[in-house]
Amino acid sequence: MPSEGRCWETLQALRSSEKGRLCYHRDWLLRGEDVLEECMSLPKLSSYSGWVVDHVLPHTQENPPSSETSASSRSASALDQPSCVPGSPVRTPACSPSSSATPDGAEGKHESRHTEPMVLQSSRGIQVEGCIRMYELVHRMRGTEGLRQWQEEQERKVRALSEMAREQLKRFDERKELQHHKELRDFREVMEKSSREALGHQEKLKAEHRHRAKILNLKLREAEQQRLKQAEQERLRKEEGQARLRSLYALQEEVLHLSQQLDASEAQPHGDLLKLDPSALRTRGNQLCGLVSGIIRATSENGFPTAEDQAVAERALQEMRDLLTSLQQEIARACEDKRRQDEAAAREKRQESKMQQGPEVPREAPAPSQSPGGKQNEDLQVKVQDSTMQWYQQLQDASSQCVLAFEELTNSKDSQVKKIKMDLQKAATIPVSQISTIAGSKLKEIFDKIHSLLSGKPVQCGGRSVSVTLNPQGLDFVQYKLAEKFVKQGEEEVASHHEAAFPIAVVASGIWELHPRVGDLILAHLHRKCPYSVPFYPAFKEGMALEDYQSSSYLPGMFYQRIQCLSYRLAALGFCGFRMLGYQVKDSKVEQQDNFLKRMSGMIRLYAAIIQLRWPYGSRQEIHPHGLNHGWRWLAQILNMEPLSDVTATLLFDFLEVCGNALMRQYQVQFWKMILLIKEDYFPRIEAITSSGQMGSFIRLKQFLEKCLQRKEIPVPKGFLTSSFWRS
């Protein structure tokens, strides 16, 4: 290193100076030695002299300094020339002629260059000089070794860096090659994707072209079909208008006949005992006759009557029937009161005659029939109207005739016929079982499948093609089983999940509209399983087994209530039940009351949903095959009959919760009048016959109607099918 070289030059210059030739110790004062002891002592060789002669002097002679001779060289020369050995470290004039001072000093320097006398140093100086030389050598050797190690280390690092650089260059080349391949692959993928997109776009354009052509063809066919359909609808409208006109004439005839009966009933005796005003009834009857006649005159001028005209005429006829029924009941009550008055007068006369003969205890007259609430049972009836019973009986007869029509199919022993029967039953019942709160598109598929089956078209069921044309009795069998399955869904599915009533009802309503016989069979099954949907309460005949309790007669007043309580007690003991009241009897055991009410509730909810829903994809010009007017009739008739404990309150709640909103929008003020009638007049009758353990249904109905009256609105039932349902 440069700095190290300058340090050695400085040391060499110091050694060449006169002071450098002196031998002294820094600690001589501490040791207390005599300063001139070494000057007076004899010269002697140091223990390092041999090492200096062997190692140092040869190197000094080979490489003499160019500028000046070091002190160590002069020492070595002095050793080689023993003739000049001073007695002290200081040179004498004899041995160093050059020590004499000259003015300019040049002559002395010249002489010392050519002839420098050899001075033999003392043993202490030689020892120091040897130590210095040995230290320099050791230091030089250490420096050389360190330099060698540093060079090796640097070479090793250079080799490592070179190896690392080669590896990094190799990795860089690999990454560059990989990136090149990746870019090439991406470019190929982009090209392929662009090619696929171009082909897809071309195919899409072709598909759109085909689709537009198909749509144009469909529109042409639909226009033709629409024209034919409009012509057919116009023909059907005329036929239906003529049928409605004939029906209006029949309704007018019946209204006039009832008006004559009303006039004849007013001429009955005991008119002074009537609570009703006969003149008011006659006036109302004349108004109803005038209303029906006005409808007929208006329709004859405008063409054909509408469904609304027919509904108004039917309501007028029903009101006329109610007027006549009320008058007849009032006349019967008046006759009964007159009879009782006559009997009381006769008893008084007999008592007076007996009093004259002798004192006897008088017998009390029998008390009139009273309801459980303590009031006379003179306002409500316990018997349904004759027209309703005739309608009920006609439906049951139609159901029985349908069963007889496919009797051979059900009783056949042929395996092929049995297989056809099973396939037809599955094709009719499985789609109905799949109806639930699913999307509207799926519901339409189910409807189309049922409609195709009833229309004679083949449908797929269980991997096989099934059609009602496979057997002459197949259509009757499918219609009966389909109606039975709809009612069973109300009995089971709707009873457990109330929201399922609406999708089942809308399919049933659509099938009913296209296939009226299926609707009649649905009503027949519903009336058989739930007689309260008519409504009527079958009576118990003397000598009849309670399990087969079935009759069209009725029990009046308290006697009916006592028989009912007796039946509940026997059912609780597990002996029997009333099949005709809707109870299920198995092994002489009647079902529990909770299960019975749950099933009745499900069927009433299904019926209430059917009368207010129509299939949305059908013809809007058609009227509902069994619309809201039947719901109004059911509600009016159920309120005209004496309530049943726990049953009437449950059915009223279910019916109004499902159908109340539709009735409110249809009848408006008249509907709210009926709700007030239920609250003010009918609730006390239900509460009077309801025990403390059966108050749950009554309280639920009461709270529901009070909330509706408070809000002046019947809420839309939960699960009602909205337009978003059909778009899903």
Side-chain angles (χ1 to χ4, degrees):
M1 297 175 65
S3 60
E4 187 176 0
R6 288 195 298 269
C7 181
W8 282 108
E9 290 176 359
T10 303
L11 292 176
Q12 191 69 24
L14 290 174
R15 287 172 181 168
S16 300
S17 64
E18 294 180 355
K19 187 179 289 186
R21 297 190 187 98
L22 296 178
C23 180
Y24 60 93
H25 292 277
R26 296 178 181 177
D27 54 346
W28 61 275
L29 293 175
L30 299 176
R31 291 188 297 180
E33 296 180 359
D34 191 0
V35 177
L36 300 178
E37 182 180 357
E38 289 193 20
C39 297
M40 294 183 294
S41 62
L42 295 176
K44 58 181 179 181
L45 295 175
S46 172
S47 60
Y48 296 94
S49 299
W51 185 84
V52 171
V53 172
D54 294 337
H55 295 85
V56 177
L57 293 181
H59 297 287
T60 306
Q61 293 176 0
E62 291 176 1
N63 299 317
S66 59
S67 59
E68 57 183 356
T69 305
S70 62
S72 60
S73 300
R74 289 192 298 268
S75 301
S77 300
L79 290 174
D80 294 335
Q81 299 177 5
S83 58
C84 184
V85 178
S88 64
V90 182
R91 274 197 313 226
T92 61
C95 293
S96 297
S98 61
S99 59
S100 60
T102 60
D104 51 1
E107 185 179 355
K109 187 179 295 184
H110 178 74
E111 290 178 2
S112 63
R113 182 178 303 166
H114 292 281
T115 57
E116 184 177 359
M118 297 297 296
V119 180
L120 186 62
Q121 295 181 358
S122 64
S123 60
R124 187 69 177 175
I126 293 174
Q127 180 179 2
V128 171
E129 186 69 20
C131 289
I132 292 173
R133 294 299 181 96
M134 186 173 64
Y135 174 78
E136 291 175 352
L137 181 62
V138 171
H139 183 72
R140 190 178 298 110
M141 291 175 65
R142 287 180 180 177
T144 304
E145 181 67 19
L147 180 62
R148 184 184 60 79
Q149 292 179 358
W150 179 80
Q151 289 178 349
E152 291 177 356
E153 181 69 22
Q154 295 301 318
E155 290 175 356
R156 186 167 59 256
K157 288 182 179 180
V158 168
R159 287 195 299 272
L161 290 175
S162 177
E163 185 69 22
M164 184 184 300
R166 284 196 298 272
E167 292 295 330
Q168 289 181 355
L169 181 60
K170 189 184 298 183
R171 299 289 88 77
F172 177 78
D173 294 335
E174 291 175 354
R175 284 196 297 269
K176 190 174 181 180
E177 184 178 1
L178 179 62
Q179 185 176 3
H180 176 70
H181 288 305
K182 185 176 180 182
E183 289 176 354
L184 182 61
R185 186 175 66 254
D186 293 342
F187 178 75
R188 289 177 180 174
E189 290 178 355
V190 170
M191 294 297 294
E192 291 176 357
K193 184 177 180 181
S194 300
S195 178
R196 288 196 301 269
E197 288 179 353
L199 292 175
H201 185 64
Q202 186 178 3
E203 292 294 331
K204 186 176 180 181
L205 291 177
K206 292 180 180 179
E208 288 179 356
H209 178 70
R210 290 193 297 269
H211 182 65
R212 285 173 183 157
K214 185 177 179 181
I215 288 176
L216 289 176
N217 294 331
L218 287 176
K219 286 182 178 180
L220 291 175
R221 286 198 298 268
E222 286 177 358
E224 182 63 20
Q225 291 176 359
Q226 186 69 19
R227 186 185 64 79
L228 296 176
K229 187 176 181 180
Q230 288 178 356
E232 181 68 18
Q233 289 177 353
E234 182 65 21
R235 185 184 63 81
L236 292 176
R237 188 184 67 82
K238 291 181 180 179
E239 292 180 358
E240 291 176 358
Q242 293 174 357
R244 291 196 191 101
L245 187 58
R246 289 193 297 269
S247 177
L248 280 179
Y249 284 135
L251 289 174
Q252 185 184 25
E253 183 180 359
E254 187 174 356
V255 167
L256 293 175
H257 179 67
L258 292 176
S259 178
Q260 292 176 359
Q261 290 183 0
L262 189 64
D263 295 338
S265 298
E266 292 178 2
Q268 295 291 334
H270 316 301
D272 54 340
L273 298 177
L274 296 178
K275 294 183 178 180
L276 297 177
D277 186 7
S279 60
L281 296 179
R282 184 171 61 254
T283 302
R284 182 55 182 166
N286 294 332
Q287 291 176 355
L288 294 175
C289 292
L291 176 62
V292 176
S293 300
I295 292 174
I296 293 178
R297 284 194 302 271
T299 54
S300 61
E301 295 175 359
N302 300 331
F304 295 106
T306 62
E308 184 65 26
D309 295 335
Q310 187 176 2
V312 172
E314 288 178 354
R315 288 197 294 271
L317 176 60
Q318 182 65 32
E319 188 174 354
M320 180 66 79
R321 289 172 180 170
D322 294 340
L323 291 177
L324 182 59
T325 302
S326 301
L327 182 58
Q328 289 175 352
Q329 290 178 355
E330 185 65 20
I331 291 174
R333 186 196 61 77
C335 292
E336 181 67 20
D337 291 344
K338 182 62 177 175
R339 185 183 61 79
R340 290 175 182 173
Q341 290 178 4
D342 294 341
E343 290 179 358
R347 281 196 302 271
E348 288 179 358
K349 290 180 180 179
R350 287 196 300 269
Q351 288 177 0
E352 289 178 359
S353 62
K354 288 180 181 180
M355 286 293 293
Q356 294 176 359
Q357 296 177 2
E360 292 183 2
V361 178
R363 297 180 181 179
E364 295 182 356
S369 176
Q370 295 181 349
S371 66
K375 297 182 179 180
Q376 289 189 1
N377 218 356
E378 55 188 17
D379 294 335
L380 299 182
Q381 58 189 7
V382 294
K383 181 180 180 181
V384 75
Q385 295 178 1
D386 294 337
S387 59
T388 303
M389 283 307 303
Q390 292 175 2
W391 173 56
Y392 166 78
Q393 195 60 44
Q394 289 173 1
L395 292 174
Q396 298 303 319
D397 294 341
S399 177
S400 301
Q401 292 174 4
C402 184
V403 173
L404 292 175
F406 61 83
E407 186 176 7
E408 295 181 4
L409 178 63
T410 56
N411 297 331
S412 177
K413 303 297 182 181
D414 188 2
S415 59
Q416 187 66 23
V417 176
K418 288 183 178 180
K419 185 177 180 181
I420 292 174
K421 184 189 72 172
M422 291 300 297
D423 290 343
L424 289 174
Q425 184 171 351
K426 290 180 181 178
T429 57
I430 289 178
V432 180
S433 301
Q434 294 173 348
I435 299 175
S436 60
T437 55
I438 58 178
S441 58
K442 298 293 184 181
L443 206 63
K444 190 176 185 301
E445 293 178 5
I446 294 175
F447 176 86
D448 293 339
K449 188 173 183 180
I450 297 173
H451 175 54
S452 299
L453 179 65
L454 293 172
S455 301
K457 300 178 183 179
V459 297
Q460 294 295 324
C461 181
R464 293 196 297 269
S465 179
V466 182
S467 175
V468 295
T469 58
L470 297 176
N471 190 282
Q473 302 173 358
L475 181 59
D476 295 325
F477 178 76
V478 168
Q479 289 176 343
Y480 186 86
K481 290 298 180 182
L482 183 63
E484 184 181 40
K485 184 61 178 178
F486 272 118
V487 177
K488 191 172 182 181
Q489 284 294 98
E491 185 181 11
E492 296 177 355
E493 181 68 20
V494 180
S496 301
H497 306 91
H498 293 167
E499 297 180 8
F502 296 100
I504 297 173
V506 76
V507 175
S509 177
I511 296 297
W512 194 335
E513 185 174 341
L514 297 176
H515 305 276
R517 191 184 182 193
V518 177
D520 294 339
L521 292 174
I522 289 176
L523 283 177
H525 284 289
L526 184 65
H527 292 171
R528 189 181 305 117
K529 288 192 173 184
C530 180
Y532 312 103
S533 61
V534 179
F536 83 98
Y537 310 140
F540 177 79
K541 285 186 177 181
E542 190 173 347
M544 181 191 301
L546 288 178
E547 291 182 358
D548 300 324
Y549 175 45
Q550 50 188 358
S551 174
S552 60
S553 60
Y554 299 88
L555 296 177
M558 284 296 293
F559 182 64
Y560 174 78
Q561 299 292 340
R562 292 173 183 174
I563 291 296
Q564 183 188 8
C565 295
L566 177 61
S567 67
Y568 286 157
R569 292 175 183 176
L570 293 176
L573 294 174
F575 296 118
C576 58
F578 292 125
R579 284 195 178 95
M580 287 305 294
L581 283 177
Y583 287 89
Q584 290 182 348
V585 180
K586 294 181 181 179
D587 300 330
S588 299
K589 293 182 179 180
V590 71
E591 67 176 328
Q592 296 294 326
Q593 183 73 0
D594 293 342
N595 295 336
F596 165 74
L597 292 175
K598 183 178 180 181
R599 289 192 304 106
M600 297 299 109
S601 173
M603 288 184 280
I604 286 294
R605 283 180 176 271
L606 178 62
Y607 179 68
I610 288 176
I611 64 178
Q612 65 175 312
L613 292 178
R614 292 194 62 186
W615 183 246
Y617 302 102
S619 176
R620 291 288 91 187
Q621 297 178 358
E622 300 289 339
I623 62 173
H624 197 292
H626 196 79
L628 284 173
N629 56 323
H630 291 273
W632 183 266
R633 176 197 59 80
W634 181 88
L635 187 60
Q637 289 189 358
I638 201 74
L639 295 179
N640 283 332
M641 301 176 69
E642 284 290 347
L644 288 180
S645 175
D646 207 17
V647 176
T648 303
T650 300
L651 299 184
L652 279 176
F653 172 76
D654 294 324
F655 184 83
L656 290 175
E657 187 179 43
V658 175
C659 193
N661 183 267
L663 290 174
M664 176 192 70
R665 288 185 280 105
Q666 178 74 17
Y667 296 101
Q668 298 179 357
V669 178
Q670 298 299 325
F671 174 77
W672 290 113
K673 289 181 180 179
M674 186 168 291
I675 296 298
L676 288 174
L677 175 67
I678 296 174
K679 179 184 177 183
E680 295 175 359
D681 295 342
Y682 209 64
F683 274 174
R685 293 180 180 273
I686 299 177
E687 189 174 8
I689 64 169
T690 305
S691 63
S692 59
Q694 298 175 339
M695 291 296 290
S697 57
F698 170 72
I699 293 174
R700 185 167 63 249
L701 173 64
K702 185 176 180 181
Q703 291 177 351
F704 174 75
L705 291 185
E706 287 177 351
K707 186 181 296 184
C708 294
L709 287 171
Q710 183 180 0
R711 297 179 179 178
K712 297 181 181 180
E713 183 183 9
I714 303 292
V716 177
K718 187 178 181 182
F720 188 79
L721 304 184
T722 58
S723 57
S724 60
F725 172 81
W726 298 107
R727 291 195 298 267
S728 61

